[in-house]
Amino acid sequence: MASSRDQQRLFDTDAPAWEVDAAAERCVAEVVLFQGPTEPFSYEVPAKLRERLTPGCRVKVPLGRGNRLVDAWCVQIETKAISRVLKPICEVVDEKRLLSPAMLQLTRWLADRYLCPWAQVLQAVIPAGVRGAAGTRLTTFLSVPTEVAARLTTLKLPPKQLAALKHLAHSPVELTPQALADAAGCTLAPIVALRRKSLVRSSSRRVRQTELENEVPPRAENLQLNERQRQALDAILASLRASRYRQLLLHGVTGSGKTEVYMQAIQEVVSYGRQAIVLVPEISLTPQTKSRFRARFDSVAVLHSHLSDVERHWHWERIAAGEIQVVVGARSAVFAPTPHLGLIVIDEEHETSFKQDSAPRYHAREVARYRAETEQVPLVLGSATPALESWHAALTGEAELIELPDRVMNLPMPAVQTIDLRLSAGRRLDRGAISRQLYLAMRDTLNDGGQVILLLNRRGFSTHIQCPSCGHAVRCPRCEIDLTYHKQDVTAICHHCDFTQPAPNHCEKCNFAGIRYTGIGTQRLEAEVRARFAGHTCLRMDTDTMKKPGSHEAALDKFRDGEIDILLGTQMIAKGLDFPNVMLVGVVNADMALHLPDFRAAERTFQLVTQVAGRTGRGARGGRVLVQTFEPDNP
């Protein structure tokens, strides 16, 4: 009795498309599936798709015995003799490749380095708005085939169809059906009839619906560099002109003019017709950095998490087309598809926000280092408090150390004073977050027309919820860390995994009604500031208040214009901001990060306090810093 396979072969009149001569050379594509097995699969590229398909495109391929269509990335194409039967690729999804060969190499390295499936890396590197072609729509375009145009005068058609056909034949560009109807002065019916008779050729492609506004601010001139800045710029330019990879650590105190050095180096890059990527750690820095760069360069793209999908896709297309000179953004901007990369700059390179906390868990500094090395361009790391790894690289010669030890215009560094909270613990006047010394300094500064920045790197109202009767503390069921009380929403939130529950009004263990909320967050600090400085304006900046697009820019503009007297917030106000009228910086609790179970706790506390101290003393009136601590002797 014949098997089912033999019976099927009896009725097969044609062999399946992929059963070809195994000895012949074939065009083979290696693809990585979006989901499922992680290793690359080989598929044959049919002749009709060979011109359209390039590595870096998405494709649809048959998988399994049922040949169900699945999505995949094409990562390699080669012509080779292969002995086994290969299935064909069914469809090419993208009109243009989304990843260049250099970016494909980078994603392959990322997958190996950070132990993540290659497909997951590819999905993370290409934003969702780009993958979904946000801001575009599929549009049909019509043209007249050559053989139809040759016999145009002999065709017998109704007058309106003939008029539309002649108009399309003489058009220098393809037209949409509606555009052709408008130009020929008819309805869509004659055009539908022409398409039905196969007298016009139709094709579909995505076109952008609207162009986004790209405002051009007034141009600004270069600032005069001092001797130290000139030496730093010369060191960067030497690497640029040698067209080779070199890692340079620009170690400059806060206010030493590092940004001006970056911009004049980038001007050299742009003069070569090349592009630069500038990474900044916080989204709050992006508006300020964007405005500075747009005042110097013709085309600047900004990439950060508050962009809509349409905006992100628009920027991405312009970067990939080589129309953008400078790309400014947070860590994901390291993947910007610059075809002519000439320089990568990482400002505040020590920042922990450069590390991605979800797969692929990359560090933007390490990715930038690999990308700069493979594309043979310089990498500039700038910071007043470099990461220990970067400092070690400079000391061992792996990186070139460039020092900027003085502030521009010889402005003095602000005086820093510690306030020992142990001496004031329990005093009636010092029961809030603001000690008497800090209160008096704030009062004097505000009366003198200056502005104040207060740093408290803990959001929420109270950082600890505990029952005084049985001692039970409210903790996250996933992370086993204390939940933070947010008074505005009456919720208890885990700041590690975002677990949220209603704030308890009684103990879940013993049912005691006198739940105690202790510890100070930015919400509580804001309430105290508003109560003690009722005649002055106050603004809180943390991730709870800065959720809307443009909220960072609006808040900082108000502070810059003097509408806000007291700016308080988390670490997003501690770095990179330049406000000459800030005369006082107060660190409300410098010990908060010192006792975290992290071997970098002391390093990060030093960096944060040093960075926020640098926000003052940038004007002619000088400034000072008060650091509240229970451990003034801590090294």
Side-chain angles (χ1 to χ4, degrees):
M1 184 176 178
S3 68
S4 59
R5 182 185 295 270
D6 294 334
Q7 288 180 5
Q8 185 172 348
R9 284 178 177 171
L10 289 173
F11 295 98
D12 282 340
T13 56
D14 296 311
W18 56 84
E19 289 190 12
V20 295
D21 182 9
E25 284 201 340
R26 285 175 278 167
C27 185
V28 178
E30 297 292 319
V31 307
V32 178
L33 305 181
F34 282 19
Q35 295 178 331
T38 57
E39 69 275 5
F41 282 72
S42 297
Y43 283 85
E44 185 172 358
V45 182
K48 64 180 180 179
L49 298 180
R50 286 178 190 172
E51 289 186 4
R52 290 184 56 202
L53 182 60
T54 56
C57 285
R58 291 171 297 173
V59 294
K60 290 186 179 294
V61 296
L63 183 68
R65 291 185 178 179
N67 290 324
R68 60 187 177 92
L69 285 184
V70 297
D71 295 309
W73 289 93
C74 173
V75 295
Q76 183 181 346
I77 298 175
E78 58 181 330
T79 302
K80 60 182 179 180
I82 192 164
S83 58
R84 66 182 187 276
V85 171
L86 294 180
K87 296 180 181 181
I89 290 175
C90 296
E91 182 185 342
V92 178
V93 176
D94 302 306
E95 294 178 10
K96 296 185 290 186
R97 69 182 180 195
L98 299 182
L99 290 158
S100 65
M103 291 302 293
L104 278 174
Q105 181 182 348
L106 179 66
T107 56
R108 174 77 267 185
W109 174 84
L110 267 166
D112 293 339
R113 166 94 177 187
Y114 296 105
L115 304 177
C116 185
W118 195 359
Q120 192 171 359
V121 174
L122 292 165
Q123 293 289 92
V125 165
I126 305 295
V130 177
R131 285 184 268 121
T136 67
R137 63 182 176 187
L138 196 62
T139 304
T140 300
F141 288 91
L142 304 178
S143 61
V144 178
T146 307
E147 59 274 15
V148 175
R151 54 191 180 93
L152 195 60
T153 55
T154 62
L155 289 174
K156 293 183 179 180
L157 294 170
K160 289 188 177 180
Q161 292 183 26
L162 187 60
L165 188 61
K166 286 182 177 179
H167 192 93
L168 183 60
H170 293 114
S171 172
V173 294
E174 296 178 324
L175 298 175
T176 64
Q178 187 60 56
L180 178 57
D182 293 342
C186 63
T187 64
L188 287 173
I191 296 162
V192 171
L194 290 173
R195 294 180 68 181
R196 194 179 295 122
K197 295 174 182 177
S198 299
L199 293 175
V200 296
R201 181 189 295 121
S202 61
S203 61
S204 298
R205 65 175 182 270
R206 288 197 165 270
V207 295
R208 182 162 294 282
Q209 292 171 277
T210 56
E211 287 295 320
L212 300 178
E213 182 182 357
N214 189 25
E215 73 280 4
V216 180
R219 296 305 294 262
E221 297 298 322
N222 288 347
L223 301 179
Q224 187 68 35
L225 300 182
N226 60 32
E227 183 60 31
R228 285 283 193 172
Q229 287 176 302
R230 172 55 58 187
Q231 291 173 4
L233 178 61
D234 289 342
I236 299 172
L237 295 183
S239 294
L240 279 174
R241 290 163 183 164
S243 298
R244 61 182 176 86
Y245 164 72
R246 181 66 174 153
Q247 183 179 333
L248 304 108
L249 176 62
L250 184 56
H251 177 221
V253 299
T254 53
S256 58
K258 295 187 290 292
T259 304
E260 185 63 27
V261 175
Y262 303 153
M263 287 199 284
Q264 294 199 23
I266 292 170
Q267 284 179 339
E268 182 90 3
V269 172
V270 171
S271 71
Y272 302 155
R274 308 195 75 179
Q275 300 162 288
I277 295 175
V278 181
L279 303 185
V280 292
E282 291 284 350
I283 194 172
S284 61
L285 297 184
T286 310
Q288 177 177 285
T289 310
K290 174 187 71 175
S291 61
R292 284 179 175 176
F293 277 89
R294 280 191 170 161
R296 300 285 187 92
F297 300 97
D298 295 330
S299 53
V300 178
V302 182
L303 302 177
H304 56 75
S305 58
H306 280 189
L307 291 180
S308 68
D309 284 346
V310 174
E311 291 171 320
R312 194 180 293 274
H313 184 211
W314 184 67
H315 284 309
W316 185 273
E317 283 188 327
R318 296 178 67 226
I319 294 168
E323 298 173 10
I324 296 296
Q325 296 171 335
V326 186
V327 180
V328 179
R331 61 176 175 262
S332 61
V334 74
F335 302 120
T338 48
H340 312 298
L341 184 62
L343 176 68
I344 302 177
V345 175
I346 305 183
D347 194 25
E348 311 295 356
E349 62 86 26
H350 63 277
E351 274 301 320
T352 56
S353 57
F354 283 126
K355 186 166 186 184
Q356 173 81 0
D357 59 3
S358 59
R361 291 175 172 81
Y362 65 88
H363 198 304
R365 186 180 61 227
E366 300 305 312
V367 177
R369 183 177 293 129
Y370 179 83
R371 186 172 181 186
E373 188 171 4
T374 54
E375 299 195 35
Q376 284 299 296
V377 300
L379 170 64
V380 179
L381 309 176
S383 177
T385 54
L388 290 180
E389 301 96 319
S390 302
W391 189 250
H392 180 263
L395 294 181
T396 57
E398 183 181 337
E400 181 179 344
L401 179 63
I402 306 170
E403 297 273 12
L404 291 177
D406 305 310
R407 282 190 158 183
V408 294
M409 296 164 45
N410 294 318
L411 291 172
M413 295 296 292
V416 181
Q417 176 188 348
T418 56
I419 298 174
D420 191 348
L421 295 179
R422 297 173 299 183
L423 303 178
S424 59
R427 289 184 190 170
R428 186 175 60 84
L429 295 174
D430 286 319
R431 289 183 179 171
I434 300 172
S435 66
R436 181 161 181 77
Q437 292 148 285
L438 180 56
Y439 169 79
L440 294 174
M442 291 175 65
R443 186 191 65 185
D444 294 343
T445 299
L446 294 170
N447 289 341
D448 199 24
Q451 292 174 296
V452 177
I453 288 179
L454 295 179
L455 171 73
L456 179 61
N457 200 26
R458 193 70 183 266
R459 58 192 175 98
F461 191 86
S462 299
T463 59
H464 191 61
I465 308 172
Q466 190 170 27
C467 173
S469 176
C470 68
H472 171 70
V474 180
R475 291 192 172 92
C476 175
R478 305 170 185 166
C479 310
E480 285 296 314
I481 64 173
D482 289 350
L483 296 184
T484 299
Y485 172 53
H486 286 243
K487 188 176 183 179
Q488 189 172 355
D489 305 321
V490 198
T491 54
I493 301 176
C494 172
H495 288 170
H496 184 69
C497 72
D498 290 330
F499 170 80
T500 303
Q501 69 177 41
N505 51 23
H506 64 273
C507 178
E508 61 183 23
K509 293 292 185 184
C510 70
N511 214 33
F512 181 71
I515 287 287
R516 181 179 296 162
Y517 295 89
T518 57
I520 298 170
T522 49
Q523 289 182 7
R524 192 168 189 165
L525 176 62
E526 180 187 23
E528 181 178 342
V529 168
R530 291 186 185 278
R532 299 181 72 173
F533 298 94
H536 297 278
T537 51
C538 172
L539 178 69
R540 170 166 59 96
M541 283 188 71
D542 55 27
T543 52
D544 297 322
T545 59
M546 299 290 114
K547 291 180 179 178
K548 294 181 180 177
S551 54
H552 292 83
E553 196 163 2
L556 295 176
D557 284 345
K558 285 183 179 180
F559 192 62
R560 182 180 293 106
D561 295 339
E563 298 177 34
I564 304 297
D565 300 322
I566 304 169
L567 179 67
L568 66 93
T570 54
Q571 62 180 353
M572 67 170 59
I573 66 170
K575 290 133 344 199
L577 304 179
D578 187 1
F579 301 113
N581 198 39
V582 174
M583 296 170 59
L584 175 68
V585 164
V587 181
V588 176
N589 188 345
D591 308 330
M592 188 161 284
L594 262 183
H595 304 295
L596 294 176
D598 183 353
F599 72 96
R600 293 188 187 272
E603 177 190 354
R604 288 175 177 169
T605 300
F606 164 73
Q607 289 168 340
L608 186 60
V609 173
T610 304
Q611 289 290 335
V612 76
R615 298 316 107 208
T616 186
R618 290 172 174 252
R621 304 171 72 185
R624 59 175 173 153
V625 184
L626 297 180
V627 181
Q628 296 187 159
T629 174
F630 284 99
E631 298 186 46
D633 300 324
N634 189 295

